[in-house]
Amino acid sequence: MGIWQLIQDQVLGMKWLNELVGEGLSMLGLDVRERVGGSIQFFLYDVLKITVLLCFLIFVISYIQSYFPPERSKRILGRFRGVGANIISALLGTVTPFCSCSSIPLFIGFTSAGLPLGVTFSFLISSPMVDLGSLILLMSTLGAKVAVIYVVVGLVIAVAGGTLIEKLHMEPYVEEFIRTAGSVDIESPALTKRERVQYAKEQVLSTFKKVFPYILVGVGIGAIIHNWIPESWVETVLGGSNPFGVVLATLVGIPMYADIFGTIPVAEALLYKGAQLGTILSFMMAVTTLSLPSLIMLRKAVKPMLLAMFIGICTIGIILVGYLFNAFQFLLI
């Protein structure tokens, strides 16, 4: 247990980095125990920590992803039927792009290829919600138990949501150009290890450029919450005294656009200020899964009825998860 705690605190959580930043600011004459100094320490520490984890995770996941190009993924998914196909599809979503907007082109490709609609929706739900990045980052801030249960529950939502859409036979609500597009399978050439490493490096640079602005915004908001927002305010709105905190957090998160890297600092600060765990996780899930830009993109591929079904399933699932985590928070942190 001592070794795991050391890994969580010093490797994933990088507590040493927080102390180093604090010492550096103190040498410059800033008091990190006061609001201004504390805000700067929080900002610098979280930006550096998330950047290091981000680059490492993107490299590892992109290297793994190089073994699963779209045509190979389609062949893998095509071998399975029923709930088993939904489970494989949801698991495949964990090694794909970090944000929902990046997942939608793959969803369209899978649907055009003739894969069952429920299977493709399981992928679409899981991809932004429970990627491997969310597991590592949550472990670094909220602990291993929270991270693992979050990922498991997210996969359950993805499988259940895709299965329900399959049972309701929503295929007529996919736009005609998607259903009639067909699929042209082009065999990808086998990559060497060197080429896979190069691909992973390119993905690190490309994703970092897109994600870094959201990291800065998320950490900035987290620093304000952490050092400037009164604890009583957070507890009143998002604490146990407000039974509708989960619903409020979910609804607030939907119009926003960010990814797991931008929401983690906000979640960390809210938890520190007394917000309930499930309420925070509902906010994170809503932001990453139901962002407004991704819904606008998805509307191009599906008709309003299916889009409303997708939003409804995700929203209800996210709210249920929030109340579940709130009920068992005392066992988790």
Side-chain angles (χ1 to χ4, degrees):
M1 185 66 181
I3 295 176
W4 172 247
Q5 194 64 46
L6 179 67
I7 293 173
Q8 183 170 309
D9 290 345
Q10 302 300 334
V11 178
L12 298 176
M14 298 186 194
K15 295 282 182 70
W16 59 269
L17 178 60
N18 192 34
E19 295 173 2
L20 187 64
V21 170
E23 290 175 2
L25 292 174
S26 296
M27 290 174 62
L28 294 174
L30 285 172
D31 188 348
V32 296
R33 294 169 297 181
E34 294 183 351
R35 283 182 173 179
V36 174
S39 297
I40 295 174
Q41 181 185 23
F42 183 97
F43 184 84
L44 293 176
Y45 160 64
D46 260 35
V47 167
L48 291 172
K49 179 184 75 171
I50 293 174
T51 297
V52 171
L53 289 175
L54 168 68
C55 293
F56 173 76
L57 287 168
I58 295 173
F59 182 87
V60 172
I61 293 172
S62 296
Y63 189 87
I64 296 171
Q65 191 183 344
S66 70
Y67 288 92
F68 297 95
E71 59 277 2
R72 185 180 183 188
S73 300
K74 284 185 280 189
R75 288 199 299 270
I76 292 172
L77 293 175
R79 296 173 189 166
F80 297 87
R81 294 290 181 271
V83 177
N86 293 90
I87 293 173
I88 298 300
S89 181
L91 290 172
L92 188 62
T94 64
V95 291
T96 51
F98 294 106
C99 69
S100 51
C101 288
S102 301
S103 308
I104 289 173
L106 287 174
F107 159 78
I108 292 174
F110 290 158
T111 306
S112 300
L115 291 175
L117 188 62
V119 173
T120 60
F121 265 94
S122 288
F123 168 84
L124 184 62
I125 295 170
S126 75
S127 181
M129 186 184 288
V130 292
D131 57 64
L132 296 178
S134 65
L135 176 64
I136 301 299
L137 275 174
L138 283 170
M139 287 174 67
S140 74
T141 55
L142 303 180
K145 287 190 290 186
V146 173
V148 171
I149 295 173
Y150 172 89
V151 169
V152 170
V153 171
L155 289 172
V156 170
I157 292 175
V159 172
T163 302
L164 179 58
I165 287 175
E166 189 74 25
K167 297 296 183 184
L168 293 175
H169 302 290
M170 303 293 288
E171 287 81 6
Y173 297 100
V174 176
E175 290 291 353
E176 187 70 18
F177 79 93
I178 299 293
R179 287 190 284 133
T180 60
S183 170
V184 179
D185 273 333
I186 301 174
E187 191 69 28
S188 290
L191 299 176
T192 65
K193 288 186 178 181
R194 186 172 184 177
E195 289 170 334
R196 296 185 193 282
V197 169
Q198 183 60 35
Y199 168 77
K201 288 180 180 178
E202 291 171 356
Q203 289 297 107
V204 169
L205 184 60
S206 173
T207 306
F208 180 75
K209 287 179 179 179
K210 290 186 289 187
V211 168
F212 191 63
Y214 299 107
I215 294 176
L216 295 178
V217 172
V219 175
I221 293 172
I224 292 171
I225 294 172
H226 193 276
N227 293 281
W228 297 86
I229 303 297
E231 193 171 311
S232 58
W233 290 11
V234 177
E235 288 181 346
T236 299
V237 178
L238 300 177
S241 58
N242 183 5
F244 301 106
V246 171
V247 177
L248 177 63
T250 302
L251 295 178
V252 168
I254 289 174
M256 299 179 66
Y257 177 62
D259 50 38
I260 192 72
F261 299 101
T263 55
I264 284 285
V266 179
E268 186 180 12
L270 288 172
L271 187 66
Y272 175 82
K273 285 292 185 175
Q276 287 192 292
L277 176 62
T279 304
I280 294 168
L281 294 179
S282 290
F283 169 76
M284 289 173 55
M285 283 184 162
V287 170
T288 55
T289 309
L290 295 172
S291 67
L292 194 57
S294 69
L295 296 180
I296 293 171
M297 288 180 64
L298 184 58
R299 172 61 187 90
K300 302 293 184 182
V302 303
K303 296 177 181 178
M305 179 66 77
L306 182 50
L307 181 65
M309 179 66 66
F310 169 74
I311 294 172
I313 289 172
C314 290
T315 301
I316 292 171
I318 289 168
I319 290 172
L320 290 176
V321 167
Y323 283 114
L324 177 69
F325 270 93
N326 281 349
F328 294 99
Q329 177 171 338
F330 68 97
L331 295 174
L332 299 173
I333 56 175

